[in-house]
Amino acid sequence: MAKIDLAGKPICITGASAGIGAATAVACADAGMPVLLAARREDRLVEVADGIRERGGKAEVFVVDVADPDACRRMIAAAEDAFGPLYAVFANAGYGVERAMHEITEEELRGIFDVNFFGSMHTVWPAVERFIERRTGHVLFCSSCLARFPLPYYAAYSATKASQHHAGRAMRLELAPYDVHVSTVHPIGTKTEFFDVAGARSGAASLIEHTSDRFMQTPETVAQAVVRCLRKPCAEVWTSRFVRFGMIASALVPTLADLGVRKMVRQRQARDRGATP
Ligand SMILES: NC(=O)c1ccc[n+]([C@@H]2O[C@H](COP(=O)([O-])OP(=O)(O)OC[C@H]3O[C@@H](n4cnc5c(N)ncnc54)[C@H](OP(=O)(O)O)[C@@H]3O)[C@@H](O)[C@H]2O)c1
């Protein structure tokens, strides 16, 4: 398949006020795509959009809470009002919470699904309607490497990421007859505000706060991988081959996977008890 020329093809990106979404907005604009940046913090969106325009790109902003389906429908309509027929949508907005599964409240559980899973679907549905009609388009979900491994204390988050992954993989085949591409994106630990937000929501995020730099990447690395996928659509975008194969191995030998994280979990539990691990 020949590489797709992205110049002039509009994209809507949620969670574009920070981290992976902001870096992807810049990378897409550099590739010539007009970008609608969406999230809740208008000042941060405007800052990123101004940066894009300074680089010669096209960008508009839309304030949205992706948990609100009507607001998401208005967001997709606003993207088309600004730039004409939309070509791609990146459902990227999301957050994590560090909580044992037996301690998480129903409100917290519904809250994280409302944003990470339902928020993605609210974003994708109105775009897909248009893509099917026009027989063209590309849907991307920002899932995670944890879609394939339920990290203890992040099981609720991992479940939202697995649900995005399942939706995306099925939609890929369901929408293929309409020439609409669907991809899921699986970053590893990425240096963004994600960890601060998870910490603030959880009281602390001690399991991941000391994650080794070896397992961390920059949001720009993810952004470049997304742009490559837009140019040459693929089912899954992995930003670490090592982690991808680790996840496959963990599915084949679950006890091996448990061994891999047992030390991390014990250290966290010892910290909770106030003991030296
Ligand atoms: N960082 C990692 O290690 C990592 C690894 C794998 C996957 N991911 C995934 O990557 C995606 C982006 O995360 P990030 O690392 O870039 O984190 P981040 O820096 O915290 O960015 C999260 C973005 O989501 C937006 N957002 C959160 N709740 C929202 C809501 N209800 N409505 C609209 N926008 C909302 C935030 O904007 P506002 O606060 O302005 O609304 C922000 O722009 C997430 O889906 C995350 O699960 C992250």
Side-chain angles (χ1 to χ4, degrees):
M1 184 190 193
K3 275 191 185 172
I4 294 169
D5 179 8
L6 300 176
K9 290 190 162 63
I11 184 168
C12 170
I13 301 177
T14 64
S17 61
I20 291 170
T24 305
V26 172
C28 286
D30 284 352
M33 303 180 86
V35 186
L36 186 85
L37 300 101
R40 292 165 303 177
R41 287 172 294 173
E42 187 169 18
D43 55 331
R44 296 286 296 269
L45 289 170
V46 167
E47 208 177 294
V48 182
D50 284 349
I52 288 174
R53 287 189 210 104
E54 273 163 31
R55 294 159 78 99
K58 285 189 181 160
E60 294 296 335
V61 306
F62 190 89
V63 176
V64 74
D65 182 335
V66 294
D68 178 348
D70 293 333
C72 289
R73 270 193 288 277
R74 289 196 296 276
M75 167 182 76
I76 298 299
E80 302 218 320
D81 287 347
F83 303 124
L86 195 65
Y87 172 72
V89 65
F90 184 29
N92 164 75
Y95 67 87
V97 64
E98 181 170 316
R99 189 94 65 224
M101 227 26 218
H102 68 282
E103 286 174 345
I104 198 161
T105 64
E106 180 162 344
E107 196 186 351
E108 280 176 317
L109 194 53
R110 287 188 188 278
I112 197 168
F113 267 91
D114 274 348
V115 173
N116 293 9
F117 178 67
F118 287 101
S120 292
M121 296 313 299
H122 297 155
T123 300
V124 162
W125 276 322
V128 166
E129 273 172 24
R130 291 159 164 89
F131 295 167
I132 287 178
E133 211 177 287
R134 296 178 196 134
R135 296 287 199 273
T136 184
H138 195 159
V139 173
L140 297 106
F141 290 88
C142 192
S143 178
S144 164
C145 60
L146 294 180
R148 292 220 188 257
F149 177 73
L151 183 65
Y153 297 95
Y154 281 86
Y157 172 72
S158 304
T160 66
K161 296 288 131 181
S163 64
Q164 288 177 303
H165 174 56
H166 281 226
R169 282 306 302 261
M171 286 176 76
R172 179 177 169 78
L173 295 180
E174 291 161 359
L175 295 179
Y178 304 99
D179 294 327
V180 175
H181 305 291
V182 183
S183 310
T184 55
V185 182
H186 301 265
I188 61 167
T190 309
K191 291 175 191 164
T192 66
E193 293 171 9
F194 179 90
F195 298 92
D196 299 331
V197 174
R201 283 183 174 272
S202 319
S206 54
L207 188 80
I208 52 169
E209 68 194 6
H210 301 299
T211 305
S212 153
D213 262 7
R214 209 152 45 97
F215 295 111
M216 296 291 282
Q217 63 192 2
T218 65
E220 286 73 24
T221 302
V222 184
Q224 289 308 326
V226 170
V227 170
R228 280 196 296 277
C229 174
L230 282 160
R231 287 206 171 103
K232 212 167 174 199
C234 58
E236 294 181 23
V237 177
W238 284 79
T239 53
S240 161
R241 227 175 259 168
F242 174 75
V243 171
R244 183 178 199 175
F245 288 116
M247 293 301 165
I248 292 169
S250 79
L252 290 174
V253 193
T255 45
L256 198 68
D258 290 352
L259 275 178
V261 293
R262 190 165 287 163
K263 189 174 166 206
M264 213 171 153
V265 170
R266 281 200 185 129
Q267 281 173 341
R268 186 197 185 280
Q269 289 169 341
R271 269 197 299 270
D272 281 352
R273 291 193 304 270
T276 311

